[in-house]
Amino acid sequence: MAVQTAPIPVSLPEEQARPNVLQRVFRSYVFRRLVKALATIFAVVTATFFLIRLMPSNPVEIFIQEQIAMYGMSYQEARDQASALFAIDLDAPLSQQYLEYLGNLLRGDLGQSYRSKGTYVADIIRQFLPWTLFSVGTSLLISFVLGVVLGMLMAYRRETPIDYALSTFASLVSSVPNYLIAIILLVVLGPQLRIINIASMRGSISPGVQPGFTLHFFLDVLYHAALPIFVYVLTTIGGWMLAMKSSTIATLEEDYVTVARARGLKDGRIMTSYVGRNASLPLFTQLAISIGFVFGGSVLIEAIFVYQGIGQQLIKAINQRDYPVMQGIFLIITISVIMANLIADLLYSRLDPRIRLGQGETK
């Protein structure tokens, strides 16, 4: 006669199966993304600190050579003047300089410029960053809206002359570097055709114009930012057009679009309420990432048009080896790019919950 035994429980006790609050926080998608973002910022800040100091020459030597070339000073005279200007000890161990930099950074102190004595790096960023935000941010918004509209038009007019013409235009402007288009515009519109006075467009505002909520000030700002904005729009709109065309074509083949047509809905409503909204969703994540590159993508354009933004200040700091200014601007660029990627990831995880659940997040 067989002996009956009690069944062995296969499920874990309830207190072991359910994670506590702390475990839920550690396993959450948002927490892991935040930790990854902070670790990336720390790694980039560290790499930037040491890479800058591996560059040939240093701010003292650059200053000495400038004084010799400009004023015919002897090396010793230029060195004495540099000693009076630069209250820094570049001979200190790198580890000591690095720890001091991290300590100041944790207190929110970006330091002072080596070349502009008494000028804080935070003040330089606060003064020039708004101009870059205005020019690149405006162009990004214009190119995105135009790209979405024209991309939908290309998808709805597939294999027509409009589609061929717009596709060729998008492919062409996407393949040409922005600095090359900027130089062509500068040469053709300025010295060759003399359509615009390039010299008067230098800077972010005209001399003597006072910032304020006046029409004269806004028109002057637009006048100086017109060429950089035009170049940014021209060189980025092609990517948005091609991406939107591809996304729209895929959306047009979805079943709910076929059902909407079968219900007899008008094309305008299908285009706006069904196709356009769903087709543009993937582009919003790309837009969030592109915003992060607003700060770093303006360096060459600002240098070509002598537009007084943060990119122009970065080039100036690199030429002078102004370490604190370089570190401060690189830090702003790094944080903006990483935060934009973080926002894009969180946004995409909301649109598609399989992403965060697939990486171990508990329900």
Side-chain angles (χ1 to χ4, degrees):
M1 183 177 179
V3 178
Q4 293 184 350
T5 58
I8 301 175
V10 296
S11 60
L12 293 174
E14 185 175 358
E15 60 272 14
Q16 294 182 11
R18 291 184 178 179
N20 55 36
V21 176
L22 201 58
Q23 289 175 327
R24 283 176 175 270
V25 171
F26 286 153
R27 293 178 183 178
S28 70
Y29 180 76
V30 175
F31 177 79
R32 286 182 286 114
R33 291 297 301 148
L34 283 173
V35 171
K36 185 179 178 182
L38 292 175
T40 306
I41 291 175
F42 174 74
V44 174
V45 165
T46 301
T48 302
F49 177 88
F50 289 103
L51 286 175
I52 285 176
R53 282 157 180 78
L54 288 176
M55 295 174 67
S57 192
N58 58 56
V60 176
E61 286 299 324
I62 294 288
F63 179 80
I64 290 174
Q65 296 303 324
E66 287 178 356
Q67 297 303 305
I68 293 174
M70 293 174 62
Y71 304 108
M73 293 181 178
S74 65
Y75 184 85
Q76 188 58 43
E77 289 174 338
R79 184 179 178 81
D80 293 340
Q81 191 165 344
S83 301
L85 177 65
F86 294 93
I88 55 176
D89 183 12
L90 295 175
D91 295 328
L94 270 182
S95 58
Q96 179 183 337
Q97 296 182 45
Y98 175 64
L99 292 177
E100 289 179 358
Y101 171 64
L102 285 185
N104 293 333
L105 205 58
L106 290 175
R107 293 193 296 271
D109 183 7
L110 297 178
Q112 296 186 19
S113 168
Y114 287 165
R115 299 301 299 265
S116 301
K117 199 171 184 179
T119 303
Y120 288 93
V121 175
D123 292 336
I124 295 175
I125 294 174
R126 195 177 299 117
Q127 179 182 356
F128 293 100
L129 185 59
W131 301 113
T132 298
L133 286 175
F134 170 74
S135 62
V136 186
T138 302
S139 62
L140 182 61
L141 183 63
I142 294 174
S143 66
F144 178 76
V145 173
L146 289 178
V148 167
V149 174
L150 294 176
M152 285 188 64
L153 179 64
M154 293 160 61
Y156 269 88
R157 297 290 185 269
R158 269 181 295 176
E159 300 181 357
T160 64
I162 293 178
D163 179 28
Y164 293 139
L166 291 177
S167 297
T168 304
F169 167 77
S171 301
L172 182 64
V173 296
S174 298
S175 59
V176 180
N178 56 6
Y179 62 85
L180 185 58
I181 293 180
I183 293 174
I184 293 173
L185 286 175
L186 196 67
V187 173
V188 173
L189 298 180
Q192 296 299 322
L193 300 180
R194 299 181 184 278
I195 296 176
I196 54 178
N197 185 359
I198 298 294
S200 67
M201 300 182 74
R202 292 184 174 185
S204 51
I205 56 175
S206 300
V209 174
Q210 295 298 324
F213 292 97
T214 61
L215 181 61
H216 178 60
F217 171 70
F218 284 116
L219 291 177
D220 189 69
V221 168
L222 285 175
Y223 175 70
H224 286 269
L227 281 180
I229 289 177
F230 180 73
V231 172
Y232 291 140
V233 171
L234 193 62
T235 53
T236 55
I237 191 173
W240 297 121
M241 290 168 62
L242 296 175
M244 187 61 188
K245 177 188 175 182
S246 175
S247 183
T248 303
I249 290 175
T251 306
L252 285 172
E253 297 175 352
E254 295 289 342
D255 292 338
Y256 58 83
V257 177
T258 305
V259 172
R261 285 173 172 164
R263 290 172 57 194
L265 297 180
K266 295 181 178 179
D267 287 342
R269 183 179 175 188
I270 295 175
M271 182 187 299
T272 55
S273 300
Y274 289 81
V275 179
R277 188 170 61 181
N278 291 288
S280 61
L281 279 179
L283 272 69
F284 278 102
T285 56
Q286 296 181 30
L287 178 65
I289 297 174
S290 299
I291 293 173
F293 289 95
V294 162
F295 306 100
S298 58
V299 176
L300 290 176
I301 302 301
E302 290 183 357
I304 292 172
F305 292 114
V306 199
Y307 188 77
Q308 293 298 321
I310 201 69
Q312 179 81 349
Q313 296 305 310
L314 177 59
I315 289 184
K316 181 180 174 183
I318 292 174
N319 289 333
Q320 296 177 340
R321 302 295 190 273
D322 198 339
Y323 294 160
V325 177
M326 294 168 64
Q327 290 167 173
I329 296 177
F330 279 133
L331 178 65
I332 295 298
I333 295 173
T334 300
I335 291 177
S336 62
V337 171
I338 291 175
M339 293 308 295
N341 278 277
L342 177 63
I343 293 172
D345 284 347
L346 297 180
L347 181 64
Y348 211 74
S349 69
R350 285 296 165 191
L351 297 175
D352 188 356
R354 293 174 299 179
I355 293 177
R356 60 178 188 273
L357 293 177
Q359 296 190 16
E361 182 179 355
T362 56
K363 293 182 179 179

